Amino acid sequence: MNINKKILVPIFLLAVSFGIGFDYGRNSIPSSSMSENILGLVKGDRTVSDEKADFGIFWDTWEALEKNYALSPLDEKAMVYGAISGMVDSLGDPYTVFMSPDENESLNEDMSGFFGGIGAEVGFRDGFVTVIAPLKGSPAEEAGLLSGDKIIEVGEENVEDYSVDEVVNLIRGEEGTKVTLVILRGEKVLNFEIVRTEIADQTVKWEMKEDNIVYLEIRQFKRETASELDGQIGDILSQDPKGIVLDLRNNPGGYLDVVVEVASRFVNDGEVVVFEESEGGKKAYKAEGGKRFDGIPIVVLVNEGSASASEILAGALKDYKLATLVGKTTFGKGLVQGILDMKDGSALKVTVAKWLTPGGENINENGIVPDIEIDYTYEDYENGIDPQLDKAIEMLKQ
């Protein structure tokens, strides 16, 4: 098996940007691939048997469709993809999914930093495809989508029983075209009409605030994020900042190796994250050295849209007592996915491990509780105030 070390923590950037995630590894299945084997089996090789699974039912159903289905010619490839998707869906894990070649290509495009869509990260939460975070300056943010909004309709199609990938595919479309979403926000049902656009997402930005306090925002952990940060550290340090506000709010995740590299700018040595694998083994990812913010007080802003890789960074800084966390409890994405590429361009994204903070905490579904909890409401947003940021600056002034 050839392994491409492309490490991601899951998300689906709904070309929108959709996701929450980690790419733990992207492996290529060799020519004797699962998809090839299945295609061979449906063409006559019936030797597979298992005491726990009667494959004869599958073949009998296939033959029954071939002999009896009357509405249209059978699309064998679509049937195989559908069978694989059903098998994967039966696991009941919203983060383990089979992706068609088009879906896999879309994921790769999303993580490149340039994509067309509405600019909203989504994931599966409480039985709904849910907005994790609208990207700053995106059509989704400008339209008023919020973290926690549940998507119940796209266009005129009810999507309450759809997977994240299926909803993503419905929302994607030509730049300049409109998509309508029906959202459940608490007990309110809201309608949004959003114009799709191409989004080039810069992942690291900073500015100087009052009293020589730096505001540093990391929006996502994409391939270029660490180099973006490194390119700005010199300018930040040249200001001799009194403190740093590190904003990880609405950061839905990204590549594992990138968040470890970014964490190494804050943590000099020690574990950044520990993977707990299915066989019971553990694998630690350690800081790589190169700490640059030594001795500078740090406050980290988090909220319900802080997920996966951003939780790894926040958890490490909290456990090593290198920062105080302010905001709301994070999303709680403590699982790791690996991506297996098939020879036809399709892929299997599969949960391969749980991850733990350096202190051994499993945050999956529970999230990371901030040291100081403060709300940031939609009314605050409309009024142009940010109580969480204000609190962080107040703390660093002292």
Side-chain angles (χ1 to χ4, degrees):
M1 180 178 292
N2 298 320
I3 300 178
N4 296 325
K5 280 298 178 184
K6 195 176 183 184
I7 301 183
L8 209 169
V9 177
I11 242 179
F12 264 105
L13 283 162
L14 180 81
V16 318
S17 201
F18 272 95
I20 334 182
F22 247 144
D23 193 358
Y24 169 60
R26 185 175 275 274
N27 299 349
S28 297
I29 301 298
S31 58
S32 57
S33 67
M34 177 171 64
S35 55
E36 184 180 68
N37 287 341
I38 292 178
L39 285 169
L41 289 170
V42 299
K43 291 179 179 177
D45 183 356
R46 308 298 173 87
T47 60
V48 176
S49 63
D50 191 293
E51 293 179 358
K52 296 181 180 179
D54 183 0
F55 284 92
I57 297 172
F58 178 88
W59 310 130
D60 290 345
T61 303
W62 185 281
E63 286 186 351
L65 288 170
E66 286 182 321
K67 292 177 180 178
N68 299 294
Y69 190 70
L71 295 185
S72 62
L74 297 181
D75 182 337
E76 290 192 349
K77 179 176 285 189
M79 291 168 67
V80 170
Y81 285 168
I84 297 172
S85 295
M87 173 178 62
V88 173
D89 290 347
S90 73
L91 300 176
D93 175 7
Y95 301 113
T96 294
V97 295
F98 176 75
M99 297 179 287
S100 69
D102 288 343
E103 291 166 339
N104 190 26
E105 182 180 1
S106 293
L107 176 62
N108 290 329
E109 289 174 354
D110 291 343
M111 293 307 296
S112 71
F114 294 89
F115 44 86
I118 67 172
E121 306 285 352
V122 302
F124 200 81
R125 172 55 56 101
D126 298 330
F128 291 88
V129 175
T130 302
V131 175
I132 305 306
L135 298 180
K136 290 283 182 70
S138 67
E141 184 187 54
E142 292 172 359
L145 287 184
L146 299 178
S147 175
D149 284 345
K150 296 176 172 58
I151 303 173
I152 55 177
E153 287 185 20
V154 178
E156 297 182 354
E157 193 160 345
N158 186 290
V159 297
E160 292 183 59
D161 295 324
Y162 284 26
S163 69
V164 170
D165 296 320
E166 290 169 328
V167 173
V168 167
N169 287 333
L170 288 175
I171 296 178
R172 293 181 187 272
E174 296 277 337
E175 181 183 359
T177 60
K178 296 178 180 179
V179 60
T180 58
L181 303 181
V182 178
I183 297 295
L184 182 63
R185 181 181 296 167
E187 297 181 355
K188 295 181 180 179
V189 176
L190 306 173
N191 292 273
F192 294 87
E193 183 176 80
I194 305 174
V195 178
R196 302 177 178 100
T197 187
E198 181 176 275
I199 298 169
D201 186 29
Q202 183 179 347
T203 61
V204 180
K205 292 185 177 182
W206 77 277
E207 62 180 280
M208 188 62 73
K209 295 290 187 181
E210 58 196 88
D211 282 18
N212 213 39
I213 292 170
V214 165
Y215 171 77
L216 174 62
E217 180 184 22
I218 301 179
R219 296 178 174 180
Q220 196 171 323
F221 295 95
K222 291 191 176 182
R223 182 55 62 203
E224 68 279 6
T225 300
S227 60
E228 282 185 25
L229 176 61
D230 286 342
Q232 298 176 51
I233 287 178
D235 291 337
I236 292 172
L237 295 179
S238 70
Q239 303 298 313
D240 191 22
K242 182 177 181 180
I244 295 174
V245 178
L246 175 59
D247 193 348
L248 299 178
R249 293 176 298 181
N250 295 330
N251 179 326
Y255 288 103
L256 171 63
D257 55 344
V258 174
V259 72
V260 171
E261 188 173 357
V262 169
S264 299
R265 304 299 175 264
F266 299 88
V267 179
N268 197 43
D269 54 28
E271 297 171 347
V272 173
V273 63
V274 178
F275 284 6
E276 202 172 57
E277 299 170 342
S278 58
E279 309 84 37
K282 291 186 177 182
K283 179 176 177 61
Y285 290 83
K286 296 185 177 182
E288 301 166 352
K291 183 176 180 180
R292 300 295 303 278
F293 299 112
D294 196 23
I296 303 175
I298 298 172
V299 175
V300 179
L301 299 181
V302 293
N303 67 359
E304 302 91 337
S306 305
S308 198
S310 60
E311 291 175 294
I312 286 178
L313 179 55
L317 293 178
K318 182 178 182 181
D319 283 3
Y320 287 120
K321 302 188 185 306
L322 295 172
T324 302
L325 271 56
V326 171
K328 301 292 288 184
T329 300
T330 62
F331 182 81
K333 173 66 169 57
L335 302 176
V336 183
Q337 279 69 43
I339 299 178
L340 304 177
D341 285 318
M342 306 298 172
K343 60 178 290 187
D344 66 345
S346 61
L348 175 67
K349 181 158 67 74
V350 56
T351 298
V352 295
K354 298 176 182 178
W355 67 261
L356 310 176
T357 69
E361 183 180 1
N362 178 2
I363 61 93
N364 195 52
E365 296 187 353
N366 297 317
I368 298 173
V369 179
D371 300 297
I372 299 175
E373 188 165 349
I374 298 179
D375 285 329
Y376 178 26
T377 67
Y378 187 63
E379 289 72 24
D380 293 331
Y381 171 78
E382 288 186 316
N383 292 325
I385 60 176
D386 187 339
Q388 295 170 342
L389 177 58
D390 291 344
K391 179 62 176 178
I393 292 174
E394 174 192 327
M395 293 170 61
L396 292 170
K397 282 182 178 180
Q398 298 173 0

